[in-house]
Amino acid sequence: MKIIIFTAMKYIVRALKYFVFITLVMTVILLILALAGFVPKDINEMFRNGYDSLWQIGVMFLVVAAIYPRFGFCKRGARVPGDPEQNRAEVVRFMEERGYIVEKEDTESISFRKSSFFGRLTSLLFEDRITFENYLPGYYVEGRARDVARIISGLEYKFRTEE
């Protein structure tokens, strides 16, 4: 039960972060366009429905933000031959080469974060955590889908064996 609540809370937090992120980006873009003179500065002239458009846009952003964590984050298996305990140092070195540092570590998992503040800030408001969990043929890798895909591809290439 705790895992389900924790997962739901993580999903909600990610959705709220994404909502804030896309709202800020859109606000900055509209502000720049208004200051540059490309669009009127009055909201009633800027949008067809005036101020009513703001809540409509907000609802649209909320829907997109609610869906994004389902497709933007994943947990996938990486086939890494050998004992996970023996490969651990090599995995840490692999992640450090890609700009990650160990956040926390225990016998079953390793969690990494980006090492630079700017890298963490630009990765969807500090959603940069990559977690490795041991499983029989290698690791489960969890995090942002695009980062997970790159990391799994690189790991499997690095640890490939001649068959």
Side-chain angles (χ1 to χ4, degrees):
M1 186 68 174
K2 283 183 177 180
I3 292 174
I4 293 171
I5 292 172
F6 177 73
T7 304
M9 289 302 295
K10 191 163 50 168
Y11 189 94
I12 291 168
V13 167
R14 284 177 175 164
L16 289 174
K17 280 184 177 182
Y18 194 65
F19 176 75
V20 168
F21 180 75
I22 60 177
T23 302
L24 286 175
V25 168
M26 187 63 171
T27 303
V28 168
I29 289 171
L30 288 174
L31 185 64
I32 290 171
L33 290 174
L35 291 175
F38 292 114
V39 296
K41 293 180 182 169
D42 183 23
I43 291 180
N44 288 317
E45 295 176 24
M46 187 183 299
F47 298 114
R48 178 179 294 153
N49 296 331
Y51 281 95
D52 280 343
S53 295
L54 295 180
W55 71 264
Q56 294 167 352
I57 292 169
V59 168
M60 182 183 67
F61 285 173
L62 196 59
V63 168
V64 170
I67 295 170
Y68 177 76
R70 173 69 180 102
F71 300 104
F73 295 87
C74 69
K75 182 177 184 177
R76 293 190 185 140
R79 294 181 142 303
V80 178
D83 181 35
E85 292 302 318
Q86 293 173 348
N87 292 336
R88 195 179 269 297
E90 209 47 47
V91 167
V92 169
R93 187 170 23 259
F94 172 82
M95 291 299 288
E96 285 174 349
E97 290 170 359
R98 278 145 189 80
Y100 289 86
I101 57 172
V102 175
E103 178 188 33
K104 62 182 176 180
E105 185 174 0
D106 60 34
T107 58
E108 294 299 313
S109 67
I110 311 171
S111 180
F112 295 92
R113 300 297 297 256
K114 289 210 174 168
S115 57
S116 73
F117 177 79
F118 184 72
R120 294 186 67 207
L121 181 64
T122 59
S123 65
L124 190 60
L125 302 175
F126 302 101
E127 285 291 340
D128 62 333
R129 180 176 291 118
I130 302 290
T131 304
F132 286 73
E133 294 178 19
N134 297 345
Y135 88 114
L136 194 54
Y139 297 97
Y140 280 122
V141 182
E142 181 179 8
R144 287 182 62 195
R146 68 182 200 174
D147 295 336
V148 167
R150 283 190 215 132
I151 287 168
I152 288 176
S153 176
L155 264 179
E156 289 179 345
Y157 181 78
K158 182 177 184 67
F159 285 97
R160 73 185 185 284
T161 58
E162 299 296 326
E163 295 180 2

